[in-house]
């Protein structure tokens, strides 16, 4: 399903989803982006709030709409075959190996920045985060545009990232020039962020591409997130719903929350004991819990194991009270 819904006052008239050609929809989104406006676009991980990454004024709108601090750098989305030396001052061999193995896909690489990328895009850091998203709509847009797209998750700062257009925050939706509906995101949590600027590669944010997979490609150890100066955007409370969450090994039949196995009351949502399926469902489940307006909900802890690392990370942050 592809639909382009735009604000009549600033962009084209609202276009109903049925019967509209995909190419028209994408052309509208591309036009908005070329004019320095924002568009909400699907990626395989979560929906992104996109702007021309090389246009400082366009990028400043992302910070304004998200309420994001100016020192939190954005990911620059590029075509899978992009010449990375346009954006990065150095492209180490490790970056070439990782892009070959995982692009397009949910892997973001932090490299030394080239002067062509505006300082605002990278939170005034001397590094730049690059990723080629694996979603047909995002890929088609990048093909149509002659610039890369800065795109953070399309949520307000510190809240849950949307994985469907229905889960988009009204304020974000109303401030974008338009929204491209690409259906539910297949991965469901944000990309793995790996820093390749140090002596040793290091994971700044775990994601569904695991440390073990990266180590297998690079043939070297990859640092734990805790080893390093923290990634600027990784506040302990992040990805958090309004509902206070408590993580515990077992949720009782009376308690509300996310459970494995069949729900035993109206306020329980069933999660799968499979990391891919769990990740895909997690944010929409948290948003659904929020709609129940509960003071408190519980989350049955998933198993340990590297394939659950990113999910544990998001659950920990979602449950952090301050
Ligand atoms: O899956 C994703 O990565 C989604 C989709 C839309 O692509 N995007 C996303 O963007 O999650 P955002 O802005 O919500 O998170 C970007 C993460 C933050 O943790 C940020 O600190 C880190 O990437 N990051 C970006 N640029 C960086 C840099 N130059 N150095 C270190 N970390 C950086
Ligand atoms: Mg985010």
């Amino acid at each position: 399903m592809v639909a382009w819904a735009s604000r009549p006052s600033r962009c084209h008239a609202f276009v109903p989803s049925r019967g509209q050609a995909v190419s028209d929809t994408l052309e509208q989104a591309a036009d908005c982006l070329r004019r320095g406006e924002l568009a909400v676009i699907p990626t395989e991980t979560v929906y992104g709030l996109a702007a021309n990454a090389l246009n400082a004024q366009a990028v400043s709108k992302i910070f304004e709409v998200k309420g994001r601090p100016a020192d939190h750098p954005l990911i620059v989305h590029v075509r899978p075959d992009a010449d990375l030396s346009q954006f990065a001052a150095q492209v180490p061999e490790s970056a070439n190996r990782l892009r070959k193995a995982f692009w397009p896909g949910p892997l973001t690489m932090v490299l030394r920045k080239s002067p062509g990328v505006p300082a605002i895009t990278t939170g005034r850091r001397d590094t730049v985060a690059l990723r080629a998203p694996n979603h047909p709509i995002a890929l088609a847009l990048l093909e149509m545009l002659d610039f890369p797209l800065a795109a953070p998750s399309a949520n307000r700062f510190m809240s849950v990232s949307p994985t469907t257009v229905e889960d988009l925050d009204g304020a974000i939706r109303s401030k974008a020039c338009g929204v491209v509906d690409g259906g539910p995101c297949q991965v469901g949590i944000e990309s793995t962020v790996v820093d390749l600027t140090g002596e040793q590669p290091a994971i700044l944010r775990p994601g569904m591409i695991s440390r073990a997979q990266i180590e297998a490609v690079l043939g070297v150890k990859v640092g734990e997130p805790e080893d390093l100066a923290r990634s600027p955007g990784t506040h302990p409370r992040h990805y958090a719903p309004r509902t206070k969450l408590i993580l515990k090994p077992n949720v009782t039949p009376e308690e509300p929350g996310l459970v494995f196995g069949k729900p035993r009351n109206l306020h329980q949502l069933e999660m799968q004991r499979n990391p891919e399926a769990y990740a895909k469902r997690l944010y929409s489940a948290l948003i659904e819990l929020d709609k129940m307006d509960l003071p408190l909900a519980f989350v049955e802890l998933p198993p340990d194991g590297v394939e659950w690392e990113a999910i544990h990370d998001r659950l920990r942050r979602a449950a952090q009270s301050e």
Side-chain angles (χ1 to χ4, degrees):
M1 178 185 36
V2 181
W4 172 255
S6 62
R7 291 210 317 150
S9 57
R10 290 180 60 191
C11 198
H12 310 266
F14 175 80
V15 181
S17 55
R18 264 163 230 258
Q20 192 192 17
V22 175
S23 54
D24 291 354
T25 302
L26 293 187
E27 214 24 85
Q28 285 175 305
D31 267 357
C32 281
L33 292 162
R34 288 188 194 107
R35 287 200 310 272
E37 299 280 351
L38 306 182
V40 175
I41 63 163
T43 82
E44 81 281 32
T45 57
V46 300
Y47 275 78
L49 181 64
N52 177 350
L54 306 182
N55 175 338
Q57 222 192 344
V59 171
S60 72
K61 294 179 189 167
I62 294 181
F63 285 91
E64 196 186 304
V65 168
K66 270 188 70 100
R68 180 172 174 126
D71 61 350
H72 284 214
L74 303 174
I75 294 173
V76 175
H77 296 70
V78 301
R79 294 179 201 162
D81 62 351
D83 171 10
L84 300 189
S85 65
Q86 285 181 281
F87 315 114
Q90 286 159 21
V91 182
E93 184 45 33
S94 53
N96 287 324
R97 285 212 214 158
L98 289 176
R99 75 184 288 191
K100 212 166 148 211
F102 299 116
W103 280 10
L107 181 77
T108 297
M109 306 191 294
V110 174
L111 304 177
R112 296 257 162 248
K113 164 187 173 311
S114 82
V117 182
I120 185 171
T121 305
T122 61
R124 311 205 178 283
R125 298 172 81 85
D126 61 359
T127 55
V128 61
L130 298 172
R131 134 167 158 86
N134 189 16
H135 190 290
I137 289 177
L139 288 169
L141 271 174
L142 288 167
E143 276 301 320
M144 293 162 75
L145 299 169
D146 58 4
F147 49 80
L149 293 172
S153 47
N155 53 294
R156 299 270 307 161
F157 181 55
M158 305 254 281
S159 56
V160 180
S161 307
T163 53
T164 65
V165 290
E166 291 75 27
D167 286 348
L168 258 185
D169 178 273
I172 300 254
R173 180 191 276 271
S174 69
K175 289 191 178 122
C177 174
V179 176
V180 187
D181 186 346
C185 300
Q186 290 304 307
V187 175
I189 63 173
E190 301 83 352
S191 60
T192 307
V193 180
V194 61
D195 183 351
L196 300 176
T197 64
E199 294 258 299
Q200 186 195 23
I203 288 183
L204 303 182
R205 178 176 71 183
M208 295 309 282
I209 291 180
S210 70
R211 183 158 18 118
Q213 283 174 285
I214 295 172
E215 285 175 347
V217 169
L218 296 182
V220 296
K221 274 282 198 221
V222 173
E224 304 271 347
E226 292 79 22
D227 292 350
L228 297 136
R230 282 228 313 272
S231 178
T234 48
H235 190 277
R237 179 175 166 85
H238 210 137
Y239 320 105
R242 278 183 296 114
T243 315
K244 183 174 166 50
L245 290 183
I246 293 180
L247 313 179
K248 60 195 300 229
N250 294 103
V251 174
T252 68
E254 297 76 37
E255 289 169 337
L258 308 187
V259 298
F260 294 110
K262 286 271 157 280
R264 288 172 296 176
N265 69 59
L266 286 175
H267 296 132
Q268 290 191 347
L269 299 174
E270 180 175 358
M271 302 298 289
Q272 302 298 315
R273 224 176 251 282
N274 160 313
E276 281 76 34
Y278 195 106
K280 186 174 175 193
R281 172 77 174 116
L282 177 60
Y283 289 157
S284 64
L286 291 178
I287 291 172
E288 225 173 295
L289 270 186
D290 264 353
K291 289 191 184 138
M292 295 179 194
D293 253 334
L294 305 161
L296 184 68
F298 300 86
V299 178
E300 214 152 75
L301 273 170
D304 289 328
V306 286
E307 67 283 16
W308 289 93
E309 186 183 346
I311 290 164
H312 280 288
D313 169 78
R314 300 305 190 279
L315 287 176
R316 241 188 340 266
R317 293 174 199 280
Q320 189 85 26
S321 56
E322 284 313 320

